[in-house]
Each structure stands twice: as C-alpha cells, then as structure tokens.
Amino acid sequence: MKSVISKAIGVAAVACCLMAAWAARDAAVPDMKFNDVSEIAPGVFFRYSSISATDPSVPFGGCNNTWVVFKEFVVVIDANFPKEAEDVIAAIKKTTDKPIRYVFDTHHHGDHAYGNTVWAKAGAKVIGHVNCSRLLEMNGPKQWAEAARDRKDIANNKLKTVDIPFDEKHVIDDGSQRVEFHYFGHAHTPGDAVAYLPKHKLLCTGDACVNGAFNFMGHSNSASWIKVLDRMKELDVAMIAPGHGKVTTKDLLDKQQRYFVDMRAAVKKGIEEKKTLAEITEAIGMPWYNEWTGKDASKIPDNVGHVYKELTGKIDHSMLGRADTPDAMGPYGPSRGVDVAGR
Ligand SMILES: [Zn+2]
C-alpha cells in the first residue's frame, strides 16, 4: 500500500514539474533558428521556416508549420510548398509515429496550399475555408502551371484542392487535444481562417498575422482585416504562431493591426491633401514599424499602393485572389509561388 501511495506521489510530483516547465515555456516563447522544431505546448510542435524581408541571401522556406498530436492521429496547420511539405513530414516523423490525418490550408496562396498534393499522398484530408477552396478551384491548373515555371517541386506535382470546406467554424476534438478552425472575415485574402488551440492558448494565424515585414496586401481588404484582428484579440491567447516569422506573444496582433490602422490614416490624410501616391509613400512614417520589422514602411510601396487604391474606390474586394483579374499577378503573388512583401 505504502509503495502505491509513494508511487502516486512520485507521479504527481513529476506531473507538477512538467506543468511548471510548460508554464515557464508559456512565459518565454522559444528562440528558434530557421528549420528548428520546438514543442511549444504539450503535443504541439512548431517549425520555423526561413525568411527575411531585408536579407536576400536568406532562402525563402515557405510558411511556418504547426502540428498537433492527437491520440490517434496528427493535424497539421498549413500545407506549405510541395518541397517543404516533404521536409515537414520528415520533421513530424521525428516527433510521432501517428498517421497524419488532416492538413489545414490557412488560405489559398501557393506557400500555404500547394503542398496539399504531398499531404494527400501521405494520407491526409485537406481542410480549408470555402473561399480558400473556391479560389484554389477557380485559379486551378492555370495558375499552378505558372507557379511551376519558377519551382521544380510544383512542376513535379499536381494541384490538390480542399476536401473538407467549412463556412464559419470547424472543430477537431478527441478529448486530449482540440483545434478550432475559425473564419473571421476577409483579411490577407478572402479565404483566411485561423487555427485556435484553446487548451494551450495558442493561435495559428497563417498570413492574417505575420511577425515581420512579410505582409502581401494584394489580395487583402485592409478595413476588414483590422476587424478580423479584433476578433482574434477576443480569444484567450498567450502565444501566436504566425504564418511567417517567429513565434511570439499576443501583442503581435496589436502590431499587425496598427500597421493597417496607421497606414490607412496616413494614406487618407495624403489623399485629402491631394498628394500623389509617391509623395504619400515617401512620407508614410511609422518609425515603430521599422523598430518591429527592421524595414521602413515607405520601402514597401505595393502595400501603400493597395491601400491607396482601396481608399480611392479602385478595388472590388470580391474579385481579389482570382487569377483572372488584372491585380492577381503581383510580383510577390501566388503566381510566382512566393508570398513575401518587399523581397
Ligand atoms: Zn499568403
């Protein structure tokens, strides 16, 4: 009897220690190098993909990936490019031998969805918002073929669209882990959705929130994006796993939102003062943005130009993301398979 009790106390002590360790990790997000994998919560792993908006020698390694180990299977957030999907699958196999059952496309861009084909071959079903699904279908093999000109891994694979589309919310919960997929509106694209892990207070945002000068706004609705970030802020969140850039704390949502709020205000003022787009861009200001990202906001003219077009009524947001519209093929748009502003 005594030995059973002391064993129980031992187990409790170990559990306590583990909980203390996780609490400590909550407070300090891991400092990771490119391609590192870190267990950011129990059974939840994050892979940090290489990217830089300021150093062209850093290769673009697609999007970040998070995966969640359930009792019987694994759920992966974001499909990445086909080549990186293979790399992520290899990384997942080092953390668990459970089968990969679902992959979630946060949106339709190539660096988040073109790996679908690889995950499907590994046995996974693809989950995504209906607009993400619609855009992948609509842009279809034509846009795939264009992206394939720049990337061998795309040329060697085929487009795979969404298997399980959802409207507002889709939940996977087996009692041990819970992942909620939420659609909060048009943000970076018309089809962004986020993955929220309430038990771990973790939010995986895709490109609806990034940590650095990585915002491609060509398919965005900046006014709606600000509201989408408000919805994210309402969630009980301690840690953000962004689509690009390092894992960090919830205040990233404020920084991301401030970029759009300040830029919209500056552009609006410039338009009222009858300034040209070049003048508005040059005077955009926002020194705090440079402190955060290492890049001056005036050096990302495409984003200022997008907001200028929005505020002068030149954008039909319902058409954004479609390969058959003139604005679809921005220099960093998914047609090139790359989705990074300022590179
Ligand atoms: Zn994107």
Side-chain angles (χ1 to χ4, degrees), residues 95-244:
T95 63
T96 178
D97 55 6
K98 288 173 187 164
I100 301 160
R101 191 173 293 171
Y102 301 106
V103 64
F104 166 59
D105 294 347
T106 56
H107 60 293
H108 75 286
H109 286 164
D111 56 333
H112 296 258
Y114 275 8
N116 285 348
T117 171
V118 173
W119 299 99
K121 272 183 232 159
K125 293 285 182 204
V126 181
I127 301 170
H129 184 257
V130 284
N131 289 347
C132 167
S133 174
R134 179 177 60 85
L135 286 165
L136 280 173
E137 299 272 356
M138 194 184 285
N139 295 341
K142 185 170 171 277
Q143 194 167 62
W144 182 274
E146 280 171 30
R149 276 189 237 140
D150 287 345
R151 291 192 57 120
K152 247 191 216 165
D153 60 338
I154 295 176
N156 292 337
N157 278 284
K158 285 213 167 69
L159 175 66
K160 166 83 183 80
T161 56
V162 172
D163 299 304
I164 306 169
F166 68 95
D167 271 317
E168 294 293 322
K169 188 176 177 184
H170 182 85
V171 176
I172 302 175
D173 188 336
D174 70 351
S176 73
Q177 296 280 17
R178 178 180 176 90
V179 180
E180 299 175 359
F181 304 107
H182 291 273
Y183 173 73
F184 291 142
H186 187 161
H188 168 69
T189 72
D192 296 296
V194 297
Y196 176 49
L197 284 69
K199 280 188 180 180
H200 308 304
K201 300 186 180 185
L202 172 69
L203 184 65
C204 308
T205 60
D207 291 358
C209 183
V210 295
N211 192 4
F214 309 129
N215 287 125
F216 166 73
M217 291 184 72
H219 299 157
S220 74
N221 180 332
S222 64
S224 172
W225 199 337
I226 290 165
K227 291 182 191 154
V228 168
L229 285 156
D230 273 334
R231 298 284 303 276
M232 293 189 211
K233 284 158 74 172
E234 286 167 13
L235 299 169
D236 184 10
V237 169
M239 201 184 290
I240 304 283
H244 300 283

Side-chain angles (χ1 to χ4, degrees), residues 7-321:
K7 197 173 167 192
I9 290 169
V11 168
V14 168
C16 242
C17 276
L18 278 175
M19 283 171 74
W22 288 117
R25 282 202 202 187
D26 272 354
V29 291
D31 188 26
M32 301 172 69
K33 294 188 205 69
F34 294 140
N35 303 327
D36 276 357
V37 171
S38 177
E39 191 172 8
I40 54 175
V44 181
F45 297 84
F46 176 83
R47 181 175 181 274
Y48 175 38
S49 280
S50 63
I51 191 165
S52 174
T54 51
D55 181 356
S57 72
V58 173
F60 179 50
C63 68
N64 291 328
N65 289 91
T66 301
W67 59 93
V68 188
V69 181
F70 284 69
K71 281 183 215 158
E72 309 281 340
F73 56 87
V74 180
V75 176
V76 183
I77 286 114
D78 264 326
N80 216 321
F81 287 123
K83 187 248 171 210
E84 280 76 8
E86 302 274 9
D87 295 343
V88 177
I89 288 172
I92 290 173
K93 285 185 175 161
K94 286 183 191 166
T95 63
T96 178
D97 55 6
K98 288 173 187 164
I100 301 160
R101 191 173 293 171
Y102 301 106
V103 64
F104 166 59
D105 294 347
T106 56
H107 60 293
H108 75 286
H109 286 164
D111 56 333
H112 296 258
Y114 275 8
N116 285 348
T117 171
V118 173
W119 299 99
K121 272 183 232 159
K125 293 285 182 204
V126 181
I127 301 170
H129 184 257
V130 284
N131 289 347
C132 167
S133 174
R134 179 177 60 85
L135 286 165
L136 280 173
E137 299 272 356
M138 194 184 285
N139 295 341
K142 185 170 171 277
Q143 194 167 62
W144 182 274
E146 280 171 30
R149 276 189 237 140
D150 287 345
R151 291 192 57 120
K152 247 191 216 165
D153 60 338
I154 295 176
N156 292 337
N157 278 284
K158 285 213 167 69
L159 175 66
K160 166 83 183 80
T161 56
V162 172
D163 299 304
I164 306 169
F166 68 95
D167 271 317
E168 294 293 322
K169 188 176 177 184
H170 182 85
V171 176
I172 302 175
D173 188 336
D174 70 351
S176 73
Q177 296 280 17
R178 178 180 176 90
V179 180
E180 299 175 359
F181 304 107
H182 291 273
Y183 173 73
F184 291 142
H186 187 161
H188 168 69
T189 72
D192 296 296
V194 297
Y196 176 49
L197 284 69
K199 280 188 180 180
H200 308 304
K201 300 186 180 185
L202 172 69
L203 184 65
C204 308
T205 60
D207 291 358
C209 183
V210 295
N211 192 4
F214 309 129
N215 287 125
F216 166 73
M217 291 184 72
H219 299 157
S220 74
N221 180 332
S222 64
S224 172
W225 199 337
I226 290 165
K227 291 182 191 154
V228 168
L229 285 156
D230 273 334
R231 298 284 303 276
M232 293 189 211
K233 284 158 74 172
E234 286 167 13
L235 299 169
D236 184 10
V237 169
M239 201 184 290
I240 304 283
H244 300 283
K246 286 187 172 181
V247 170
T248 186
T249 47
K250 189 178 183 178
D251 59 353
L252 181 66
L253 297 173
D254 293 320
K255 289 180 191 158
Q256 181 65 97
Q257 192 177 43
R258 188 177 175 192
Y259 179 52
F260 306 127
V261 169
D262 283 13
M263 184 156 50
R264 282 179 63 89
V267 173
K268 185 167 177 283
K269 188 165 167 277
I271 292 168
E272 284 165 1
E273 291 169 356
K274 309 238 178 308
K275 288 187 177 152
T276 64
L277 173 57
E279 287 166 344
I280 293 170
T281 306
E282 179 65 31
I284 201 76
M286 293 194 265
W288 65 268
Y289 182 83
N290 195 327
E291 275 169 38
W292 165 35
T293 66
K295 190 158 179 131
D296 198 294
S298 68
K299 298 287 185 283
I300 314 174
D302 287 354
N303 287 353
V304 185
H306 180 79
V307 170
Y308 183 86
K309 278 197 258 175
E310 287 183 307
L311 294 180
T312 49
K314 293 195 178 67
I315 287 185
D316 175 356
H317 290 108
S318 70
M319 298 297 283
L320 296 183

